[in-house]
Amino acid sequence: MQVFKAFFKTARRSLPINIMYFIIFSGVALFLSRSSVDTDSQAFASVALDVAVIDADRSDASAALTGYLAGIHNLTKLEYDREALLDRLFYRDIDFVLILPKGFEEKLSGGETDLYETMRIPGVYSSVFVEGQINTYLKAVRLYLAGGKSLADAQSHTEKALNAAAGQVRVLAQQEDGASGMKGIYYYYQFLPYVILSMILSGITPILTTFWEEGLAKRISCSSLGLSAKNLQLALGSIVYCFGIWALFQLIARIFYGNVLFRETGLLCMANSIMILPAAAAIALIISCFHPSSSMVSMCNNVITLGMCFLCGVFIPQQQLGSNVCAVSKFLPFYWYIRNNDLVSGFGGTPFAGGAYWENIGVQALFAAALFALALSVSKYRRGK
């Protein structure tokens, strides 16, 4: 096993750059996992907005609606002055203006729906949130009125019902190992192809290039070690190297995400990530056949990894890529990896289907086989030349 041992002695040269990739990726993964937890924990938190109310009706019904909104938002009662209100909206002194005209209570009791006017900042969706709360309140009041309740009773029952419904809302991300953990795993495996491909190209390519050098190749051929045994030991060293990198990142995922990694979604993401290895090793083998210098290896590494990751949806979600870009990226293995990652995690908008998942795995395996066939052809041609 002299070639196998020499393989890992040569691998020490690429150790510093691989440590750099590992540290950077681990830091980014930790940041994304923490930020996803923080985002999810606040995803359904109520936001108190600055709401101005112009109550021209000054009735019990308008007072009840105003009181309901005051329990959610920061209310300011103002007189109607259109220019002044527009100025305050423009300078963000207030976020929303509710105008309750005269006859509000009478129209509400009569079952009418056109009850109020609003002023809002264009393009700010928080105002839609406020108006939705107002409509929910008024619809509930009308339902109680239709059921024979008096206006006072309808308002009282509505407020109790809405408060009870609000109390039942809970943030899913606060459950044990909840949705935030799955979101963190999604981001972790989303960017994993970039760092694994970078580490394999920067690690294996120089090693294989060294063994393809003419002087070393002749010395090995003069020994008792046959060509098949040499290639077998190189293949074994490459397999151990690739799976060592993969296992290291699975260990980091286990530390970051705990038992969530061993749920069904985590295991599917883990299985999908294995398919990065054969394609990356085949690309490294193809590059090494051309005996590149260290600077050329670095250039090829950057061009291939960045180009493939941008085109296939690693850095930019596939849903945001143009149709022409997606059409081209289908001829790259990482496109199918990202499709599986989106499918498993549910972020691609497509419900999970086991058949589609394994079909994508099969496509990645075919890409790996095609790349290895190309690598062997190039290697044979270069060796004969």
Side-chain angles (χ1 to χ4, degrees), residues 38-109:
D38 294 340
T39 301
D40 284 344
S41 64
Q42 299 172 4
F44 297 98
S46 294
V47 178
L49 302 177
D50 295 320
V51 178
V53 177
I54 292 90
D55 185 3
D57 193 45
R58 300 185 186 279
S59 60
D60 292 338
S62 63
L65 175 57
T66 303
Y68 167 70
L69 292 176
I72 305 173
H73 302 286
N74 303 320
L75 255 62
T76 304
K77 292 187 178 181
L78 301 174
E79 297 297 327
Y80 183 79
D81 184 340
R82 181 175 177 80
E83 294 301 324
L85 291 172
L86 288 175
D87 286 342
R88 296 192 67 172
L89 284 170
F90 178 80
Y91 290 109
R92 301 300 196 268
D93 292 335
I94 53 177
D95 301 307
F96 187 85
V97 178
L98 172 64
I99 304 172
L100 301 176
K102 290 184 179 180
F104 171 79
E105 183 176 85
E106 183 179 350
K107 291 181 180 180
L108 180 60
S109 300

Side-chain angles (χ1 to χ4, degrees), residues 8 20 33 96 98 105 107 170 172-173 194 201 300 325:
F8 285 100
M20 181 189 71
S33 63
F96 187 85
L98 172 64
E105 183 176 85
K107 291 181 180 180
R170 57 196 176 101
L172 295 179
Y194 170 73
L201 292 188
C300 292
V325 176

Side-chain angles (χ1 to χ4, degrees), residues 189-190 192-194 196 246 268-283 308 312 314 318 329-344 352 354-373:
Y189 283 98
Q190 178 81 1
L192 195 59
Y194 170 73
I196 286 185
W246 179 84
L268 289 173
C269 287
M270 191 186 302
N272 188 42
S273 67
I274 297 178
M275 301 309 299
I276 302 172
L277 305 181
I283 294 172
M308 193 181 299
C312 296
V314 174
Q318 289 182 351
S329 62
K330 288 179 181 178
F331 293 93
L332 300 172
F334 283 1
Y335 173 85
W336 305 95
Y337 170 88
I338 296 299
R339 282 194 63 175
N340 254 2
N341 198 46
D342 289 342
L343 188 68
V344 170
F352 177 78
Y357 173 86
W358 291 111
E359 181 180 338
N360 294 336
I361 291 288
V363 172
Q364 293 180 73
L366 290 176
F367 268 107
L371 288 171
F372 268 114

